[in-house]
Amino acid sequence: MSVRRLAAEQPEGFAFTPENLDWAKAEIKKYPEGRQASAVLSLLWRAQEQMGGWISEPALRAVADMLGMAYIRVYEIVTFYTMFNLAPVGRYYVQVCGTTPCMLRGAEDIKDACRKHIGPKDTVSKDGMFSWTEVECLGACVNAPMAQINKYYYEDLTPENVESILNRLRKGEHVEPGPQNGRKTSAPLSGPNTLTDASIYASDTSGPEFGCAGPALVDAEAKRPGASANVREAAVPKPPLKKSPLKKPRPR
């Protein structure tokens, strides 16, 4: 892992906004007395969001003071987890995946496009809108090459659609996350190639007509809205009765 250090230039101080301070106090209350340090990741992440995408040394110290932690312990956390940015980033922070699948599918061209339209890696563009860096696998290998911009994944990238995405974001337009080539989620680019025989659906009566499948199950139908994952429609079946151990015959 590369060495990660705090930025040389730091703001004079940091304080949570009243709304974020109330949120932080509520987050700390989730943990028992003496275990407040368990909230450190949550508070650091909220501090980073308030700072506009990076964590400053005053913010680090403020979180440490709230949780009764030594500064060095919080410093160890922010320098270990790459989810925390130690220097200012652009309004749109582009993280380009450079691991093997993306590299084989053109990640180098995507990085060149970022250099052309944003600037050098790990530097903020002159207008403050963009910065970019290279990261390890983001888990969307099927849709390589891809990049994460702020919280969203943009997949099936080319130098051309990267330029289009950046230009639209610069204008304040919404760019739909996900595949940028018309692909549906991670479906094959060539279309379906399995289970295409219509005869296997002949007895399906879930649709509007015989042999026509009904609509796919959507997330909202997987369970009742707002219900916990462990809530069951039917009662939990009782375990079978335990069999009594066999009695040994008495010796004669």
Side-chain angles (χ1 to χ4, degrees), residues 215-239:
L217 183 68
V218 297
D219 289 343
E221 298 170 336
K223 62 182 181 66
R224 289 183 175 179
S228 301
N230 62 347
V231 173
R232 295 171 177 265
E233 291 288 339
V236 179
K238 296 181 179 180

Side-chain angles (χ1 to χ4, degrees), residues 4 46 73 104 121 124 163 183 188 207 210 215:
R4 285 166 46 83
R46 182 57 64 96
R73 295 300 304 276
L104 294 174
K121 185 176 73 170
V124 181
E163 179 181 4
R183 182 206 303 248
F210 184 77

Side-chain angles (χ1 to χ4, degrees), residues 2 82 93-100 102-103 107-108 111 114-115 120-122 131-138 146-147:
S2 61
T82 56
Y93 183 48
V94 182
Q95 300 177 74
V96 180
C97 179
T99 314
T100 307
C102 282
M103 181 187 67
E108 292 299 323
K111 288 187 281 185
C114 288
R115 293 187 188 97
K121 185 176 73 170
D122 297 324
S131 61
W132 76 278
T133 192
E134 180 180 352
V135 296
E136 297 305 312
C137 186
L138 291 172
M146 60 81 59

